[in-house]
Amino acid sequence: MPLFFLVALQNAAPAIEVSLSSKIAAGSLYTIESGKWIIDSPATTSKDLADSLEITTTLPFFIVPVRGYFGRAQPDLWEWLAAKTAAKVT
């Protein structure tokens, strides 16, 4: 499944968290920090993901597909990304 980076804008994080907790399986969601998530989803586009979360017309947010990554972060983020990326190859 594709990976997406979701950022809650303004004060939308609590409402988006509620939607994520009810619509995304725990193993398919990585919380980077409050209001920032990476999601492993069957959605094919960013809009499809927003529609499935039912946030398209109600909350301010930003979603982009993850096609590659680089940076410095906590080790478990890299482990989660590696596991999700490896699962797509096999």
Side-chain angles (χ1 to χ4, degrees), residues 8-21 34-35 37 55 59-60:
L9 302 176
Q10 299 169 1
N11 59 352
I16 291 175
E17 270 189 51
V18 168
S19 181
L20 288 167
S21 67
S34 179
W37 305 270
I55 62 172
L59 297 167

Side-chain angles (χ1 to χ4, degrees), residues 11-33:
N11 59 352
I16 291 175
E17 270 189 51
V18 168
S19 181
L20 288 167
S21 67
S22 67
K23 299 183 185 329
I24 302 292
S28 296
L29 179 67
Y30 184 91
T31 302
I32 296 172
E33 60 184 41

